[in-house]
Amino acid sequence: MDTLNELLNGFAAALTWQNLIFAFLGCLLGTVIGVLPGIGPVAGVALLIPLTLNMDPTGSIIMLCAIFYGTAYGGTITSVLLNTPGEAASAITTIDGHAMTKMGKAGAALTIAAIGSFVGGTIATLGLVAAAKPLGELGLLVGPPEFFALMVVGISLLVALAGKSMVKALISGALGLLISMVGIDPVAGAPRFTFGMDRLLDGVSFVAVIVGVFGLSEILSYRKGESTVVHAPGFRSLLPTRNEWRRSAPSMARGTGIGFGLGLIPGMTGSVASLLSYGAEKKFSKHRNELGKGAVEGVAGPETANNAHANAALIPLFTLGIPASPTIAVLMGAFLQQGLTPGPTLFTEHSEIAWAIIASLFIGNLLLVLLNVPLVGLWTSILRVPAPILTALILLFMVIGAYTINFSVFDVFVMIGFGLLGLALRHLEIPLAPMVLTLVLGPLMERSLRESLEISQGDFSIFLNRPISAVLIGVGVLIICSPLLKLRKPKALMDDPET
Amino acid sequence: MTTESTMTQSPTRARPARSVLAGIAAFGALGAYVLVSSVGLGLWTSLGPGPGLFPFAMGVVLAAMSVLWLLQELKRPSTTGEGADGGLVLAVVVSLLLLAALLDLLGFQLSMFLFLMYHLKIRGKRSWLSSLLTALAGSVGAFYAFNYGLNVALPVSSIPVLNLIGL
């Protein structure tokens, strides 16, 4: 009953006109970011963090969450209409989504995707409501050694799943941790890796690094593409047939289950969820022979799965303080910048904010359906904006975003430097996801390691003497050693640009 | 060259790309630097772990992974990602560096206007009207929208004359 009351209070806060506007703006911006092929959800959310710094924490996080799950739908529009995914999680939708466009069923594909996204997102949010209290209470029992071990598992999973080579993923993870250590040491107060520069005493700006590594490097790696002609589907063609509805329902159910389950596991991105959902359709769908030729199941399953994943991935963040994917890691950075520490204490110290954000997820999912289906023509018109104008405007927002973090030109230079680093990492095929995750988790991980060792007076066996941390460390080691056991990875994981 | 001569040649062993070797060297050097620096920071204090312990561990990981990567490359050279368009990289990076250098001197509006005009008119070859309108919206428009709409202060010129005319 407590949970229901708190959720209702959350709705009361989320339904104020200011917060409704923030959710609406977030959905709008998220859809635009998802539509634009040049900018992914990680850079998109990071880019807009500075704009929310002056807002109250509730409105700010509501808007950023809406941007986050809005991108999951925006990417579908280009997948379906252009055969080009706006973001990685929608890549698999291109197969049947674009085939449906060629058959004159683009409208039905987009509507099914929107409804699937709503269903997956809403059910995953219900899961968050159910899990928040018990997991939060469990989380309160977790001490520094267990917390450290939990983060080891999260990072191990991401390292193991990111890219073709674990060696490169470990380099990426170590690089992120090193960047996070620039500045004043959190325990002894000693300056580290500041090269005598006062500006670096507060560390390297997280947002400038992310915008540089993910956003600017993406623009720097553009290659001349073919011009595309986009035709928006007419309003009448938006309604799927009764048969399409009937065929989509089981796919949505499977997509929800897969997306929700994978959202709870750190390291699993939305792309993995949509890929596995497509695999499930190939195995279980009654019309599996039509997959690849314009089957509605190929749109309904993956699109439901990636939105269920996006919302379920908030569960480990809210309850344990562990970001499950790179975009969630950026969101966690935004929480920290607002003075909110995600994790079990969020529900004890900032209960009203936590529940308002959860309630806004329901509202945002509904807003997305209302925004996306009737306005599909508007979204496709964004794609007709000439590339030089889009690139120039994206660069403009990157500069504003980097500058306004500390109102300092230094951060613009930081962004440019990390843009070049990101370009080099992309060229060397070093995955970017472990870096962003360790960048956020680095300070927390170091603090919990040092607190644990202080408790044990320097005895490292503390991690093995406590059952929960021993099991978690064991799981982490097993994951890192999995290549020795020659465990196979799905191919698409390797091709995921987000990782 | 005859078919026979081609067949009798020993198969040429692929070599790691130069850029990959440079990358490995850079990460190896960074790892070594971090190892040395973190020892200087102090690995252990009387109270427990020192500020250098965690960076030391990361230095070990970086150095060890660089060695492993080198061994892997020597055994089986990997492919690299597609090369970037050098002209685009140079144009974007140099224009961004100039913009950042001029932001405080010329102010946001003028420096951003010049930056956008360069990318729209010179690089993008858009029409004068389209370039001017977009550049004005992105510089003057964005300045007023952020300063007055969102309460986010963007820099103004440090040159008195420019400052006086509102730039």
Side-chain angles (χ1 to χ4, degrees), chain A residues 320-361:
Chain A
L320 301 169
I322 299 289
S325 73
T327 323
I328 299 275
V330 176
L331 261 183
M332 182 168 172
F335 269 86
L336 296 172
Q337 295 219 344
Q338 287 284 357
L340 305 168
T341 307
T345 52
L346 187 69
F347 288 93
T348 50
E349 289 169 12
H350 302 284
S351 167
E352 68 294 346
I353 296 179
W355 285 103
I357 295 166
I358 293 173
S360 83
L361 299 180

Side-chain angles (χ1 to χ4, degrees), chain A residues 345-427:
Chain A
T345 52
L346 187 69
F347 288 93
T348 50
E349 289 169 12
H350 302 284
S351 167
E352 68 294 346
I353 296 179
W355 285 103
I357 295 166
I358 293 173
S360 83
L361 299 180
F362 289 103
I363 298 164
N365 273 305
L366 188 63
L367 280 174
L368 268 179
V369 179
L370 300 177
L371 256 176
N372 280 299
V373 178
L375 296 182
V376 70
L378 176 73
W379 305 124
T380 50
S381 67
I382 292 170
L383 292 164
R384 291 193 206 109
V385 177
I389 297 182
L390 269 183
T391 308
L393 293 179
I394 291 171
L395 287 171
L396 160 82
F397 274 99
M398 283 178 182
V399 171
I400 294 177
Y403 176 83
T404 49
I405 308 155
N406 294 313
F407 297 99
S408 156
V409 171
F410 180 75
D411 288 328
V412 181
F413 285 112
V414 170
M415 178 199 72
I416 300 169
F418 277 94
L420 286 169
L421 175 69
L423 183 68
L425 296 179
R426 281 172 197 266
H427 176 71

Side-chain angles (χ1 to χ4, degrees), chain A residues 93-152:
Chain A
T93 312
T94 53
I95 301 172
D96 286 277
H98 193 63
M100 284 180 78
T101 300
K102 284 181 178 168
M103 293 154 68
K105 293 180 181 174
L110 289 169
T111 304
I112 289 287
I115 302 294
S117 300
F118 172 74
V119 171
T122 305
I123 293 177
T125 310
L126 282 171
L128 172 57
V129 171
K133 276 270 171 191
L135 274 179
E137 280 162 16
L138 190 73
L140 286 173
L141 303 174
V142 168
E146 288 81 10
F147 195 64
F148 176 77
L150 202 58
M151 282 187 275
V152 168

